[in-house]
Amino acid sequence: MQIEEKPPFATPFEWIGGEDKVKALVERFYDLMELEPAYAQLRAVHGSSLDNARQRLFWFLCGWLGGPSYYTDRFGHPMLRARHLPQSIGGHTIGIRERDEWLACMDQAMRETGVPHDLHQRLAKSFFQTADWMRNRAGA
């Protein structure tokens, strides 16, 4: 069994730097999605505008990281897989490629917004577990 050191802050939300840093991370994530050809497949499943996605991810991450529960206050339990399932109805499914693009985009956004290295590593593990669980299509 590997024992991890206790994080230097009570919550990942405090560790990342609060709302301003979460907002910067979300903004960079979606900016990269729009700018980088490497994330084209991921961008394609988000529809014509990213405004709603930006706001909802910000709300979600604040609570998920241990900060204000904006998302659950508005919508209840996130039910991530169920909320993303409608994308498959229109032919936009989440497979390995979309998962990997999401993870790469978030990894780049965390690096570019200065998420502390140890927190970055912990979040990357959690993001992978969640993103892999979100897949609703086998294969690439």
Side-chain angles (χ1 to χ4, degrees):
M1 170 188 261
Q2 183 178 355
I3 299 175
E4 293 186 29
E5 280 188 41
K6 184 177 183 217
F9 296 93
T11 66
F13 182 77
E14 291 174 15
W15 193 357
I16 202 168
E19 280 190 36
D20 289 343
K21 289 295 278 187
V22 174
K23 185 65 140 178
L25 175 63
V26 169
E27 291 300 318
R28 188 63 186 148
F29 174 75
Y30 284 109
D31 289 349
L32 288 167
M33 192 185 298
E34 291 214 288
L35 296 170
E36 297 289 335
Y39 310 130
Q41 185 68 28
L42 176 62
R43 176 62 186 91
V45 302
H46 281 83
S48 60
S49 173
L50 293 175
D51 294 341
N52 188 43
R54 285 176 192 265
Q55 187 64 62
R56 287 178 185 240
L57 183 60
F58 168 72
W59 287 335
F60 172 78
L61 285 180
C62 281
W64 184 74
L65 292 168
S69 56
Y70 299 132
Y71 189 94
T72 57
D73 290 350
R74 286 169 174 78
F75 307 109
H77 188 283
M79 302 183 301
L80 291 178
R81 191 170 166 103
R83 290 188 195 273
H84 285 77
L85 195 57
Q87 290 182 353
S88 67
I89 293 170
H92 299 293
T93 57
I94 301 170
I96 291 171
R97 180 175 179 180
E98 291 82 7
R99 176 202 66 191
D100 289 351
E101 285 187 21
W102 195 100
L103 291 168
C105 189
M106 182 55 76
D107 187 69
Q108 184 176 347
M110 286 194 290
R111 281 193 323 271
E112 292 184 8
T113 58
V115 172
H117 178 74
D118 289 347
L119 177 59
H120 182 151
Q121 288 184 312
R122 290 174 190 230
L123 291 177
K125 287 180 191 176
S126 293
F127 285 143
F128 176 83
Q129 291 170 339
T130 301
D132 194 55
W133 176 73
M134 297 288 289
R135 289 189 304 126
N136 58 20
R137 181 184 80 231

